[in-house]
């Protein structure tokens, strides 16, 4: 038997700016076991719900994550609206969809850049981020925040986008789409990238399902779970197919995200075409009494907010289950049997967002 | 299999202008809606305290006796909540980000609002 | 509005393993496990999903009760169970990977449950 050694990976590691720690048990160069641990940045957001009125907790919920902040806000609002039986105007639902998809575009581009960086392709990283900047600009022009949009509120949205702006956004997206095609071509067709990613970190379909993988991690392994199909916000009225690949390796996960970029653009275009006129919010009175598990699809996968109110202005419990938390067990499985040099690529391939995992 | 997929993009990058801004020599990007920092029109504030209660970051402190409104810029998360809830709309969002500082501190603003004469009379009668 | 039907079944602690096993056999996936402190008792929700059908099992326990681990059926449940232990102080028996309170490190022990202030920790 070969001697086993343990190599610590993280919490400070050049490939990942966020603190996750893995104890890698190695035999020669091969990882036989990986033990994750988190908890370096636990912020206790969920506890804050007892101290902030439910209407203000939107701002707190949004700040759970710096990348998909809009979707956190949306999910929280959705939950409260569900408990309080608030009927949100149609236009607000469409606007929420548009912003959600912009968030997804920006998150996936961020990930593509970081992923390229993880296998040492820094030029590509810069290119992905250059396109991302254009997405962020639109976000800032329409909501006032580049990263923390803050445009969602209980009962609707806080800002409207006028028709002129929508038309311009749609035109911009056409040119962004072209640039994205060039970018994704590099990711999907370049021989050296293919060589680096194929058959690395394979996760079988059964494992993905039973370990509770979410989002692109699951869809890369052929599990077609996409919460957008439940039709929250305006997704029910739009036509789309989730991107699914069956290989389950890093390349498949990369491919899923590349294809989702185009799905997102298509969804935004559809929403811009279909958006009805009307009010963007309704007045909400009273306090939530009841509980609800609200679910939505984040760029990283399924997000669950559990909200429980007791009829006062302060909720009893808000529990945020982020996709990365549920993607940790699949990650551990993926790492078993891989080479030490592949670990950074595999860790990044689930698109870990540790800060939002720890809330 | 494709080779040199990247060459076209890379070449264009070399020939085009940089995508980044040379901040702080050039000003940062701003839009009309950018949330920069909160400002107050001290001549209109009626010292109701709504902003203080509705601030998720507890950045605002209103002192009714001394008639001051103070904000801790490092606590403020620039969420717009106070601006939306102020009943007399005397808070505004400026698009300019706050300048970097080296120490903590609060901005104290003295409220100069005076109640219109009629309302003041009533107040005295009650007090 | 897109109201999702969410069926919550309250069960006894002893039934938990059997019910979870049934879900596993029927092909549900584990969505999440969470804990809520209500007064002195803790409510633990186990959520499952299959083809966007959401089912929920709920047990109510006191702080001293030992809860059996479901990580035998759902291997990935260890993240939730360790979290439950670290934040609420619920004792979970038989986890496949037991971090013994080191999964989420907090300066106050069990901050969401009966919190033990910093000075009084063993
Ligand atoms: S912008 Fe938000 S955080 Fe800042 S003072 Fe106003 S309410 Fe508080
Ligand atoms: S700023 Fe507006 S909300 Fe705040 S105390 Fe003055 S009037 Fe009231």
């Amino acid at each position: 038997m070969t001697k086993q050694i343990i190599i610590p990976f993280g919490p400070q590691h050049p490939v990942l700016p966020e603190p996750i720690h893995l104890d890698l048990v190695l035999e020669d160069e091969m990882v036989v076991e990986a033990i994750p641990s988190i908890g370096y940045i636990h912020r206790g957001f969920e506890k804050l719900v007892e101290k902030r009125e439910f209407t203000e907790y939107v701002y707190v919920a949004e700040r759970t994550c710096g990348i998909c902040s809009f979707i956190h806000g949306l999910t929280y609002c959705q939950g409260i609206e569900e408990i309080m039986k608030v009927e949100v105007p149609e236009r607000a639902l469409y606007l929420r969809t548009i912003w959600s998809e912009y968030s997804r575009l920006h998150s996936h581009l961020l990930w593509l850049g970081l992923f390229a960086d993880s296998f040492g392709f820094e030029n590509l990283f810069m290119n992905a981020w250059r396109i991302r900047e254009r997405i962020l600009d639109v976000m800032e022009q329409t909501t006032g925040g580049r990263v923390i949009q803050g445009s969602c509120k209980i009962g609707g949205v806080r800002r409207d986008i006028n028709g002129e702006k929508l038309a311009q956004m749609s035109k911009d997206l056409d040119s962004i789409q072209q640039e994205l095609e060039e970018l994704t071509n590099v990711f999907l067709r370049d021989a050296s990238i293919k060589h680096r990613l194929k058959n690395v970190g394979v996760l079988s379909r059964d494992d993905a399902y039973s370990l509770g993988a979410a989002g692109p991690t699951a869809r890369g392994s052929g599990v077609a779970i996409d919460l957008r199909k439940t039709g929250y916000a305006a997704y029910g009225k739009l036509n789309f197919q989730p991107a699914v690949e069956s290989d389950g390796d890093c390349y498949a996960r990369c491919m899923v995200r590349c294809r989702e970029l185009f799905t997102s653009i298509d969804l935004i275009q559809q929403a811009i075409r279909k958006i009805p006129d009307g009010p963007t919010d309704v007045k909400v009175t009273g306090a939530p009494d009841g509980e609800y598990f609200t679910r939505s699809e984040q760029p990283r996968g399924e997000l669950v907010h559990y909200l429980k109110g007791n009829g006062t202005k302060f909720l009893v419990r808000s529990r945020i289950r982020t996709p990365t938390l549920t993607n940790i067990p699949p990650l551990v499985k993926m790492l078993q049997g891989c080479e030490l040099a592949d670990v950074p690529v595999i860790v990044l391939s689930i698109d870990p967002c540790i800060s939002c995992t720890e809330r | 299999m494709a080779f040199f997929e990247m060459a076209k993009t890379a070449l264009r990058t070399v020939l085009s202008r940089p995508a980044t801004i040379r901040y702080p020599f050039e000003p940062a990007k701003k839009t009309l809606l950018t949330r920069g920092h909160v400002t107050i029109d001290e001549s209109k504030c009626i010292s109701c305290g709504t902003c203080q209660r509705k601030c998720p970051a507890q950045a605002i402190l209103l002192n009714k006796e001394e008639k001051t409104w103070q904000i801790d810029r490092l606590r403020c998360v620039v969420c717009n909540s106070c601006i939306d809830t102020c009943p007399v709309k005397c808070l505004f969002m400026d698009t300019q980000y706050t300048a970097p500082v080296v120490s903590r501190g609060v901005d104290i603003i003295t409220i100069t609002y005076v109640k219109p004469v009629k309302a003041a009379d009533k107040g005295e009668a009650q007090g | 509005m897109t109201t999702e039907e969410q069926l919550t079944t309250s069960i006894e602690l002893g039934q938990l393993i059997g019910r979870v096993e049934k879900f596993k056999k029927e092909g549900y996936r584990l969505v999440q496990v969470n804990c809520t402190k209500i007064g002195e008792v803790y409510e633990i929700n186990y959520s499952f999903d299959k083809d966007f059908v959401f089912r929920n099992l709920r047990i109510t326990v006191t702080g001293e009760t030992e809860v059996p681990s479901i990580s035998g059926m759902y291997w990935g449940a260890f993240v939730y169970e360790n979290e439950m232990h670290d934040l609420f102080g619920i004792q979970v028996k038989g986890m496949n990977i037991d971090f013994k309170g080191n999964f989420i490190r907090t300066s106050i022990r069990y901050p969401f449950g009966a919190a033990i202030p910093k000075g009084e920790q063993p």
Side-chain angles (χ1 to χ4, degrees), chain B residues 1 31 38 52 66 82 85 89 122 124 127:
Chain B
M1 277 290 156
T31 66
V38 184
Q52 181 182 343
E66 290 170 21
C82 50
T85 49
K89 300 275 165 262
K122 217 166 133 199
E124 262 171 26

Side-chain angles (χ1 to χ4, degrees), chain A residues 36-40 82 86-87 209 225-226 231 291-293 295 302 306 317 319 321 326 329 359, chain C residues 1-4 6 27 29 31-36 49 52 54 56 58 76 80 83 88 99 103 105:
Chain A
S37 76
I38 56 172
Y40 295 93
E82 195 65 46
V86 177
E87 200 69 47
Y209 189 79
I225 304 172
D226 190 329
E291 58 179 344
Y292 194 68
F293 290 87
R295 306 193 287 163
E302 175 193 36
Y306 168 66
R317 174 90 165 118
R319 193 253 203 266
R321 202 237 45 198
T326 180
R359 297 134 357 240
Chain C
M1 208 192 294
T2 52
T3 310
E4 214 182 356
Q6 301 188 333
R29 74 190 161 89
V31 175
Q32 61 103 29
V33 179
N34 89 349
C35 186
T36 310
D49 171 290
F52 306 131
F54 193 86
N56 208 2
R58 170 169 300 166
Y80 307 114
E83 190 187 57
F88 289 89
F99 287 85
F103 188 61
R105 300 176 199 115

Side-chain angles (χ1 to χ4, degrees), chain A residues 219 224-230 240-243 260 297, chain C residues 52:
Chain A
R219 293 196 285 274
I225 304 172
D226 190 329
L227 266 287
R228 287 178 288 178
K229 275 282 167 206
T230 56
F240 76 102
Q241 275 312 321
E260 277 183 6
E297 183 76 12
Chain C
F52 306 131

Side-chain angles (χ1 to χ4, degrees), chain C residues 65-110:
Chain C
T65 324
E66 269 203 339
V67 179
S69 165
I70 61 161
S71 55
M73 279 85 72
Y74 289 95
W75 191 82
F78 74 89
V79 285
Y80 307 114
E81 289 176 345
N82 277 294
E83 190 187 57
M84 207 150 79
H85 172 265
D86 293 357
L87 297 184
F88 289 89
I90 304 275
Q91 301 300 326
V92 186
K93 202 167 48 194
M95 278 187 272
N96 53 358
I97 306 180
D98 192 346
F99 287 85
K100 305 215 164 43
N102 285 321
F103 188 61
I104 295 179
R105 300 176 199 115
T106 49
S107 64
I108 296 174
R109 181 94 52 101
Y110 313 139

Side-chain angles (χ1 to χ4, degrees), chain A residues 111 115 118-119 187 191-202 249-252 254-255 345 349:
Chain A
W111 177 83
F115 196 48
S118 81
F119 51 70
F187 271 102
S192 53
I193 297 184
K194 249 187 177 168
H195 187 71
R196 183 77 183 88
L197 302 180
K198 278 262 180 202
N199 294 321
V200 171
V202 180
D249 53 5
C250 287
Y251 183 73
C254 180
M255 191 130 107
V345 179
S349 78

